mmCIF file of all heavy atoms in Angstrom:
data_model
loop_
_atom_site.group_PDB
_atom_site.id
_atom_site.type_symbol
_atom_site.label_atom_id
_atom_site.label_comp_id
_atom_site.label_asym_id
_atom_site.label_seq_id
_atom_site.Cartn_x
_atom_site.Cartn_y
_atom_site.Cartn_z
ATOM 1 N N GLY E 4 -55.036 -33.303 -29.862
ATOM 2 C CA GLY E 4 -56.391 -33.443 -29.867
ATOM 3 C C GLY E 4 -57.119 -34.474 -29.023
ATOM 4 O O GLY E 4 -58.236 -34.752 -29.021
ATOM 5 N N THR E 8 -54.216 -35.038 -24.086
ATOM 6 C CA THR E 8 -53.536 -33.817 -24.371
ATOM 7 C C THR E 8 -54.310 -32.603 -23.980
ATOM 8 O O THR E 8 -53.990 -31.648 -23.452
ATOM 9 C CB THR E 8 -53.233 -33.632 -25.996
ATOM 10 O OG1 THR E 8 -52.537 -34.768 -26.317
ATOM 11 C CG2 THR E 8 -52.473 -32.421 -26.305
ATOM 12 N N LYS E 13 -55.278 -27.971 -20.445
ATOM 13 C CA LYS E 13 -56.202 -27.284 -19.562
ATOM 14 C C LYS E 13 -55.504 -27.196 -18.036
ATOM 15 O O LYS E 13 -55.710 -26.170 -17.354
ATOM 16 C CB LYS E 13 -57.492 -27.977 -19.353
ATOM 17 C CG LYS E 13 -58.425 -27.785 -20.520
ATOM 18 C CD LYS E 13 -59.633 -28.630 -20.478
ATOM 19 C CE LYS E 13 -60.555 -28.415 -21.745
ATOM 20 N NZ LYS E 13 -61.641 -29.323 -21.726
ATOM 21 N N ALA E 19 -54.106 -17.320 -14.791
ATOM 22 C CA ALA E 19 -54.506 -16.079 -15.422
ATOM 23 C C ALA E 19 -53.546 -15.533 -16.352
ATOM 24 O O ALA E 19 -53.929 -14.834 -17.398
ATOM 25 C CB ALA E 19 -54.862 -15.138 -14.225
ATOM 26 N N PHE E 24 -53.195 -11.730 -22.482
ATOM 27 C CA PHE E 24 -53.258 -10.807 -23.668
ATOM 28 C C PHE E 24 -54.205 -11.134 -24.725
ATOM 29 O O PHE E 24 -54.093 -10.699 -25.752
ATOM 30 C CB PHE E 24 -51.783 -10.877 -24.173
ATOM 31 C CG PHE E 24 -50.693 -10.320 -23.279
ATOM 32 C CD1 PHE E 24 -49.855 -11.318 -22.624
ATOM 33 C CD2 PHE E 24 -50.671 -9.033 -22.938
ATOM 34 C CE1 PHE E 24 -48.894 -10.838 -21.848
ATOM 35 C CE2 PHE E 24 -49.643 -8.637 -22.027
ATOM 36 C CZ PHE E 24 -48.697 -9.428 -21.509
ATOM 37 N N SER E 26 -57.477 -10.686 -24.652
ATOM 38 C CA SER E 26 -58.693 -9.799 -24.807
ATOM 39 C C SER E 26 -58.130 -8.295 -24.715
ATOM 40 O O SER E 26 -58.906 -7.519 -23.987
ATOM 41 C CB SER E 26 -59.782 -9.979 -23.869
ATOM 42 O OG SER E 26 -59.268 -9.937 -22.531
ATOM 43 N N VAL E 36 -44.871 -2.286 -23.537
ATOM 44 C CA VAL E 36 -43.412 -1.974 -23.823
ATOM 45 C C VAL E 36 -42.778 -3.402 -24.388
ATOM 46 O O VAL E 36 -42.834 -4.323 -23.559
ATOM 47 C CB VAL E 36 -42.818 -1.370 -22.614
ATOM 48 C CG1 VAL E 36 -41.329 -1.127 -22.983
ATOM 49 C CG2 VAL E 36 -43.438 -0.105 -22.159
ATOM 50 N N ASN E 56 -6.512 -17.447 -6.200
ATOM 51 C CA ASN E 56 -5.730 -17.661 -5.104
ATOM 52 C C ASN E 56 -5.340 -19.130 -4.997
ATOM 53 O O ASN E 56 -5.573 -19.908 -4.026
ATOM 54 C CB ASN E 56 -6.349 -17.253 -3.740
ATOM 55 C CG ASN E 56 -5.355 -16.937 -2.711
ATOM 56 O OD1 ASN E 56 -4.182 -16.872 -2.915
ATOM 57 N ND2 ASN E 56 -5.873 -16.596 -1.426
ATOM 58 N N ILE E 57 -4.706 -19.588 -5.973
ATOM 59 C CA ILE E 57 -4.344 -21.016 -6.273
ATOM 60 C C ILE E 57 -3.788 -21.734 -5.208
ATOM 61 O O ILE E 57 -4.298 -22.875 -4.857
ATOM 62 C CB ILE E 57 -3.629 -21.174 -7.645
ATOM 63 C CG1 ILE E 57 -4.460 -20.756 -8.784
ATOM 64 C CG2 ILE E 57 -3.066 -22.579 -7.857
ATOM 65 C CD1 ILE E 57 -3.842 -20.823 -10.143
ATOM 66 N N ASP E 60 -6.387 -23.230 -0.111
ATOM 67 C CA ASP E 60 -7.684 -23.736 -0.057
ATOM 68 C C ASP E 60 -8.590 -23.018 0.823
ATOM 69 O O ASP E 60 -8.116 -22.364 1.791
ATOM 70 C CB ASP E 60 -7.749 -25.274 0.510
ATOM 71 C CG ASP E 60 -7.346 -26.236 -0.625
ATOM 72 O OD1 ASP E 60 -7.333 -25.928 -1.821
ATOM 73 O OD2 ASP E 60 -6.823 -27.343 -0.220
ATOM 74 N N PRO E 69 -11.429 -38.466 -4.473
ATOM 75 C CA PRO E 69 -10.835 -37.679 -5.335
ATOM 76 C C PRO E 69 -11.737 -36.445 -5.496
ATOM 77 O O PRO E 69 -12.897 -36.470 -5.151
ATOM 78 C CB PRO E 69 -10.896 -38.459 -6.773
ATOM 79 C CG PRO E 69 -11.990 -39.386 -6.541
ATOM 80 C CD PRO E 69 -12.191 -39.723 -5.145
ATOM 81 N N ALA E 80 -1.911 -27.575 -9.867
ATOM 82 C CA ALA E 80 -0.869 -28.123 -9.084
ATOM 83 C C ALA E 80 0.209 -28.660 -9.986
ATOM 84 O O ALA E 80 1.381 -29.005 -9.441
ATOM 85 C CB ALA E 80 -1.349 -29.343 -8.267
ATOM 86 N N PRO E 84 2.220 -21.596 -9.067
ATOM 87 C CA PRO E 84 0.866 -20.770 -8.983
ATOM 88 C C PRO E 84 0.745 -19.696 -9.942
ATOM 89 O O PRO E 84 -0.316 -19.614 -10.635
ATOM 90 C CB PRO E 84 0.843 -20.470 -7.533
ATOM 91 C CG PRO E 84 1.745 -21.342 -6.833
ATOM 92 C CD PRO E 84 2.799 -21.711 -7.689
ATOM 93 N N GLU E 100 -13.156 -15.556 -26.600
ATOM 94 C CA GLU E 100 -12.884 -14.965 -27.853
ATOM 95 C C GLU E 100 -13.569 -15.703 -28.939
ATOM 96 O O GLU E 100 -13.993 -15.181 -30.075
ATOM 97 C CB GLU E 100 -11.419 -14.909 -28.194
ATOM 98 C CG GLU E 100 -10.825 -13.789 -27.398
ATOM 99 C CD GLU E 100 -9.218 -13.878 -27.560
ATOM 100 O OE1 GLU E 100 -8.660 -14.774 -28.014
ATOM 101 O OE2 GLU E 100 -8.615 -12.858 -27.199
ATOM 102 N N GLN E 110 -7.337 -8.904 -18.818
ATOM 103 C CA GLN E 110 -7.308 -9.846 -17.677
ATOM 104 C C GLN E 110 -6.870 -9.202 -16.380
ATOM 105 O O GLN E 110 -5.931 -8.413 -16.456
ATOM 106 C CB GLN E 110 -6.376 -11.038 -17.934
ATOM 107 C CG GLN E 110 -6.838 -11.900 -19.085
ATOM 108 C CD GLN E 110 -5.877 -13.100 -19.337
ATOM 109 O OE1 GLN E 110 -5.022 -13.257 -18.509
ATOM 110 N NE2 GLN E 110 -5.985 -13.659 -20.405
ATOM 111 N N ASP E 113 -5.898 -12.390 -9.931
ATOM 112 C CA ASP E 113 -5.857 -12.353 -8.447
ATOM 113 C C ASP E 113 -5.629 -10.786 -8.014
ATOM 114 O O ASP E 113 -4.707 -10.475 -7.497
ATOM 115 C CB ASP E 113 -4.639 -13.131 -7.884
ATOM 116 C CG ASP E 113 -5.127 -14.485 -7.685
ATOM 117 O OD1 ASP E 113 -6.434 -14.737 -7.604
ATOM 118 O OD2 ASP E 113 -4.229 -15.394 -7.506
ATOM 119 N N HIS E 116 -8.056 -5.117 -4.252
ATOM 120 C CA HIS E 116 -9.191 -4.238 -4.095
ATOM 121 C C HIS E 116 -9.038 -3.022 -4.957
ATOM 122 O O HIS E 116 -9.956 -2.607 -5.816
ATOM 123 C CB HIS E 116 -9.545 -3.810 -2.637
ATOM 124 C CG HIS E 116 -10.829 -3.118 -2.516
ATOM 125 N ND1 HIS E 116 -12.083 -3.647 -2.752
ATOM 126 C CD2 HIS E 116 -11.164 -1.739 -2.372
ATOM 127 C CE1 HIS E 116 -13.022 -2.851 -2.514
ATOM 128 N NE2 HIS E 116 -12.467 -1.736 -2.305
ATOM 129 N N LEU E 122 -10.488 -0.988 -12.787
ATOM 130 C CA LEU E 122 -11.152 -1.411 -14.009
ATOM 131 C C LEU E 122 -12.341 -0.630 -14.264
ATOM 132 O O LEU E 122 -12.810 -0.283 -15.343
ATOM 133 C CB LEU E 122 -11.629 -2.923 -13.935
ATOM 134 C CG LEU E 122 -10.479 -3.791 -13.811
ATOM 135 C CD1 LEU E 122 -11.005 -5.257 -13.458
ATOM 136 C CD2 LEU E 122 -9.732 -3.771 -15.124
#
Side-chain angles (χ1 to χ4, degrees):
T8 306
K13 287 178 185 174
F24 298 108
S26 61
V36 178
N56 204 7
I57 290 177
D60 284 339
E100 285 173 345
Q110 293 183 16
D113 278 343
H116 184 72
L122 290 176

